[in-house]
């Protein structure tokens, strides 16, 4: 597995957004998903996390998100990151637990931030990943 830089987004961002980097997750030269590393402090990333990942449906169930997070560590300069997920996203919960993240709390997404989330997202489980 390898991560390939797809895009650095650091200019002309909407208000409330911080720079972020998108990597493709590749297995045997086949893209199986994407992982995003967001800049910002813990407060800025408290509900969406410093990391976001998506594994394409046909490749789920192989721990690719977990492996991608481990590979992403080489690009991280902090001693910890915030990682969040929907309370009902079992796959993400398993990834976060496998990484050994510390559970902080489950919080409702504040109304002022709802525009950044899907309509279905109401609350987030919030974790700290010590690196």
């Amino acid at each position: 597995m390898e991560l390939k830089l797809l895009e650095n987004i650091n200019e002309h961002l909407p208000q409330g957004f911080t720079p972020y980097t998108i990597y493709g997750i590749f297995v045997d030269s086949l893209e199986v998903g994407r992982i995003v590393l967001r800049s910002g402090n813990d407060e800025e990333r408290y509900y969406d996390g410093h990391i976001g990942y998506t594994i394409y449906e046909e490749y789920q169930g192989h721990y690719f998100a977990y492996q991608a997070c481990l590979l992403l560590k080489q690009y991280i300069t902090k001693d910890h990151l915030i990682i969040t997920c929907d309370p009902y996203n079992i796959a993400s919960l398993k990834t976060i637990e496998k990484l050994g993240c510390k559970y902080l709390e489950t919080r409702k997404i504040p109304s002022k931030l709802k525009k950044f989330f899907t309509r279905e997202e109401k609350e987030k489980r919030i974790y700290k990943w010590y690196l």
Side-chain angles (χ1 to χ4, degrees):
M1 172 181 283
E2 67 178 319
L3 301 181
K4 292 183 183 178
L5 175 65
L6 299 179
E7 194 170 5
N8 274 318
I9 312 295
N10 55 18
E11 294 179 351
H12 311 294
L13 295 165
Q15 177 131 2
F17 279 67
T18 59
Y20 58 97
T21 305
I22 304 169
Y23 298 91
I25 305 168
F26 288 82
V27 175
D28 299 327
S29 73
L30 182 66
E31 187 177 2
V32 300
R34 295 199 173 180
I35 189 165
V36 175
L37 179 59
R38 301 179 189 100
S39 67
N41 61 38
D42 290 1
E43 183 180 327
E44 291 169 314
R45 299 279 64 92
Y46 201 71
Y47 293 93
D48 63 349
H50 288 103
I51 294 176
Y53 43 77
T54 300
I55 303 300
Y56 305 140
E57 189 173 352
E58 61 268 30
Y59 304 111
Q60 294 175 0
H62 301 283
Y63 300 104
F64 291 151
Y66 167 75
Q67 294 172 53
C69 286
L70 295 180
L71 287 174
L72 193 66
K73 285 172 91 172
Q74 65 186 308
Y75 304 110
I76 299 169
T77 58
K78 299 179 173 204
D79 65 348
H80 73 273
L81 296 179
I82 297 295
I83 299 181
T84 69
C85 73
D86 184 274
Y88 307 105
N89 186 337
I90 302 304
S92 252
L93 288 169
K94 286 181 180 181
T95 296
I96 290 167
E97 289 172 1
K98 192 167 178 66
L99 288 169
C101 299
K102 179 184 178 198
Y103 172 74
L104 300 178
E105 65 179 329
T106 300
R107 296 269 307 262
K108 288 185 179 182
I109 298 168
S111 57
K112 69 180 182 177
L113 298 177
K114 288 197 183 246
K115 64 183 175 186
F116 300 118
F117 295 89
T118 66
R119 177 175 273 168
E120 294 78 28
E121 293 176 291
K122 308 273 189 239
E123 60 184 9
K124 293 291 179 177
R125 287 182 61 93
I126 302 160
Y127 295 83
K128 193 176 277 192
W129 184 28
Y130 293 97
L131 303 167

